[in-house]
């Protein structure tokens, strides 16, 4: 089933100029870019995006990291795109990520793990609307 997911290339990855390689990995997995932009989050915007983690011990550090530099936010579309983008990223902790995944190749630590992907339809809807205010029309 065709669906959309929100993906982010995080500050560590944008800073190392591997944006293109990561987008290529999405495209090779038949995930199509239907919207995207470079931006820099304020600390407050990072906190709003990651509100589900507000009680986690890593929340402060995570939101500092996510607001330290430029990110690339994109909407990917494809069959089962939510799960398939998460498979393409690999496990949260790069040391446990399967070989060939983005996090295995490019992640630096459990926190600085290069990419984000929505984890459900509900989170995808919230996260897409967090960054893309207008209806995204690809028809
Ligand atoms: P996910 O990005 O694979 O969905 P989540 O559990 O939703 O992982 O965590 C959100 C982000 O918070 C992770 O991608 C990572 O950057 C950071 N994070 C998760 N767990 C830890 C941790 O134990 N220590 C530090 N940072 C973490
Ligand atoms: Mg998550």
């Amino acid at each position: 089933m065709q669906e959309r997911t929100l993906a982010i290339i995080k500050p560590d990855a944008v800073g190392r100029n591997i944006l293109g390689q990561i987008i290529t990995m999405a495209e090779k997995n038949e995930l199509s870019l239907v919207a995207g932009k470079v931006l820099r989050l304020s600390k407050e915007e990072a906190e709003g995006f990651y509100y589900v983690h507000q009680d986690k011990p890593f929340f402060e550090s995570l939101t500092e990291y996510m607001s330290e530099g430029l990110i690339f936010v994109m909407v990917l579309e494809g069959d089962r795109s939510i799960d398939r983008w998460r498979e393409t990223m690999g496990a949260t902790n790069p040391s446990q990520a399967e070989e060939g995944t983005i996090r295995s190749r490019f992640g630096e630590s459990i926190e600085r793990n290069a990419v984000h992907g929505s984890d459900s339809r509900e989170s995808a809807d919230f996260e897409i609307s967090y960054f893309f205010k207008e209806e995204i029309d690809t028809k």
Side-chain angles (χ1 to χ4, degrees), residues 72-124:
F72 187 77
V73 295
M74 58 185 166
V75 178
L76 298 176
E77 185 172 82
D79 185 48
R80 292 193 309 107
S81 63
I82 296 170
D83 285 349
R84 291 199 307 107
W85 174 243
R86 289 191 67 88
E87 287 161 21
T88 305
M89 292 195 301
T92 307
N93 188 344
S95 68
Q96 286 163 14
E98 216 173 295
E99 205 177 317
T101 60
I102 294 170
R103 284 166 166 170
S104 160
R105 289 180 66 186
F106 300 123
E108 298 182 314
S109 70
I110 190 168
E111 179 172 272
R112 304 176 73 83
N113 59 4
V115 278
H116 166 83
S118 308
D119 64 6
S120 65
R121 277 285 174 92
E122 293 67 35
S123 68

